[in-house]
Amino acid sequence: MKDCIFCKIIKKEAPSKGVYEDDLVYAFHDINPVAPIHILIVPKKHIFGIQSLEQEDEHIVGHMFYVARKIGEEFGLASPDSTKGGYRLVFNVGEHAGQSVFHLHLHLIGGRSMSWPPG
Ligand code: 5GP
Ligand code: ZN
């Protein structure tokens, strides 16, 4: 998509700090982190969001979660340590839920303790 910032990042037409890449996804540090570790896992295919996910693309979402697991391990978030262990995976779906970029992305947020419910 021509004016999509994440498409530009994937095509390396805009800068990013990448942490993982394969045929289906690219993962990079969020420009405005809400925690010590805040990584976006983004499919290379332009998908608007979960609200318009087609069944033919469901394997992409499954892969995004698998990559999240790998990144969580790489960043030491899979340890049982109570302050560093654990992380949150978030899809914001629609503007009311906080979605601001309409190219599907999974937030991986960690490195601090978190509360529930989210704001
Ligand atoms: P959303 O609000 O749509 O769930 O999440 C979009 C995320 O993308 C936000 O956390 C925002 O900080 C991040 N973001 C927006 N533009 C850019 C950018 O150009 N580069 C990077 N690395 N992150 C971005
Ligand atoms: Zn896009």
Side-chain angles (χ1 to χ4, degrees), residues 1-55:
M1 273 268 277
K2 205 166 130 280
D3 294 323
C4 171
I5 181 62
F6 286 180
C7 282
K8 284 184 184 153
I9 286 172
I10 288 160
K11 286 190 261 170
K12 311 285 191 272
E13 291 169 9
S16 66
K17 289 184 186 162
V19 299
Y20 177 88
E21 183 165 15
D22 63 26
D23 288 351
L24 286 179
V25 303
Y26 179 52
F28 51 94
H29 289 277
D30 196 293
I31 204 168
N32 188 20
V34 299
I37 296 165
H38 186 170
I39 291 162
L40 301 172
I41 301 160
V42 180
K44 289 189 170 175
K45 178 174 180 177
H46 181 91
I47 297 168
F48 187 85
I50 289 289
Q51 62 273 61
S52 62
L53 181 70
E54 302 284 353
Q55 196 167 15

Side-chain angles (χ1 to χ4, degrees), residues 38-101:
H38 186 170
I39 291 162
L40 301 172
I41 301 160
V42 180
K44 289 189 170 175
K45 178 174 180 177
H46 181 91
I47 297 168
F48 187 85
I50 289 289
Q51 62 273 61
S52 62
L53 181 70
E54 302 284 353
Q55 196 167 15
E56 66 179 27
D57 293 329
E58 66 182 5
H59 67 287
I60 296 175
V61 178
H63 187 63
M64 290 165 76
F65 280 111
Y66 185 69
V67 169
R69 182 223 158 140
K70 293 286 172 205
I71 293 171
E73 284 173 0
E74 190 186 322
F75 280 80
L77 299 176
S79 92
D81 176 276
S82 60
T83 53
K84 283 192 177 160
Y87 51 91
R88 191 167 287 180
L89 297 174
V90 177
F91 284 109
N92 291 324
V93 184
E95 270 178 72
H96 271 92
Q99 187 176 4
S100 60
V101 176

